[in-house]
Amino acid sequence: MESIKDKVAIVGMGCTRFGERWDMGVEDLLVEAAYEAFQDAGIEPKDVQAAWLGTVFSGMSALTLAPLGLQYIPVTRVENMCATGSEALRAASYAVAAGVCDIALAIGVEKLKDSGQTGVKGPSIIGDNTDGSSAIGSGYSAPASFAYLGTRYFHHYGLNPDEGKRLLAEIAVKNHYNGSLNPKAHFHNILTVEQVVKAPIVAWPLGLFDCCGVSDGAAAAIVTRADMAKNFRSDPVYVKGLAISVGARQGSMRQDYDYVHIDENVLAAKKVYAEAGIKDPRKEISMAEVHDCFTCHELIVYEDLGFSPRGRARDDIDAGTFTLKGELPVNTDGGLKCFGHPLGASGLRMMYEVYKQLQGKAGPRQVKNPRLGMTHNLGGNAGNGVGCCVVVGNEKG
């Protein structure tokens, strides 16, 4: 299969402030993100030749994008659970690479705070989820399903509960520190390990500060042909690989599923590394934005993406490997945990941070000399998900 490596580039991006945006509706968020991206790329809405809108709950069709005033061009709504924003970017990139259009818009939005999508949903039973995400088994609220990853990881690798909770707390502390440096993040509070460990339990071992925020927000990207990119700006970001992996709920149905890895994450990472020509992700990836909906998932993701050897993420957490000054900074903008998680926007928000980092424009969060950046999403639950990875770089080759 032919690779998309270096065939398309991102030449403009926009991202709203995430959080409780009672002051703005879905349309306002779309306009704010899109017009930042238009200005960043130096284009006008009339220059966009096709658009993909990602949203899970905040729009019924392509008409949701009407406030942008796009004029009779192809516009498509896409949805792929928490990977929806990345799915919009994937579709726009493939369309440009295929020659269907030269300038495409990928945009994602979600407004959750006033839609009832907040707090912990009650346990579901087989097949009762209207979004089709219900797995086989009871108690599949999001915190409950991801909590299994924590308890099984502790058991599988011989961590006592106190040590396991401390490791998860270190992840929350890191992401909240990074988010405190980002004016667009939902939360700006710096946490201590003690605060995280002693927070009220949501689903053991996950406490309040182990869970990401439910937020409002939007993010957008302008994608064009790589050979046109420097007509727009001197520092475009080139797409190196796009991969998505969807299973058949094998993890939820197999009695021997170990809950210390997620196949969809592993296979999406393998595919994107092959497409991008990456042999050693730990050494070649400069920084990454990963799907830390819950701290125990970020712990698992370190190993699923090949950043840490199996069972050794603990060593890397203790060594500060994934901090801003570490060997491989992860979630430099605060991640889902602190920046917030409006589902349809999250994948593009992650790319916004990678884009800024690769251009050297991330301010106090800037990592040293980045070359390749990566985003990762998981839609759904452990053993029953949609894994999506994107790798981009600031130079060709």
Side-chain angles (χ1 to χ4, degrees), residues 109-128:
V109 68
E110 216 71 63
K111 187 153 176 56
L112 298 176
K113 296 303 294 186
D114 50 1
S115 65
Q117 296 292 327
T118 189
V120 180
K121 192 176 68 171
S124 58
I125 58 173
I126 298 173
D128 77 337

Side-chain angles (χ1 to χ4, degrees), residues 248-321:
R249 301 181 175 178
Q250 291 95 329
S252 299
M253 292 187 287
R254 283 169 33 199
Q255 290 189 352
D256 62 346
Y257 177 47
D258 60 17
Y259 279 91
V260 297
H261 80 287
I262 295 176
D263 285 320
E264 290 83 352
N265 288 341
V266 174
L267 293 170
K270 286 182 177 178
K271 290 176 183 176
V272 84
Y273 295 152
E275 189 166 39
I278 292 172
K279 305 295 184 187
D280 186 341
R282 177 163 175 140
K283 291 184 177 178
E284 295 178 63
I285 298 291
S286 306
M287 52 83 57
E289 289 284 314
V290 306
H291 202 86
D292 60 323
C293 47
F294 302 96
T295 51
C296 58
H297 188 226
E298 182 167 326
L299 175 70
I300 297 282
V301 166
Y302 293 151
E303 299 177 8
D304 281 353
L305 303 189
F307 298 165
S308 299
R310 285 286 170 204
R312 306 313 303 174
R314 168 176 42 179
D315 299 339
D316 285 322
I317 291 171
D318 288 339
T321 300

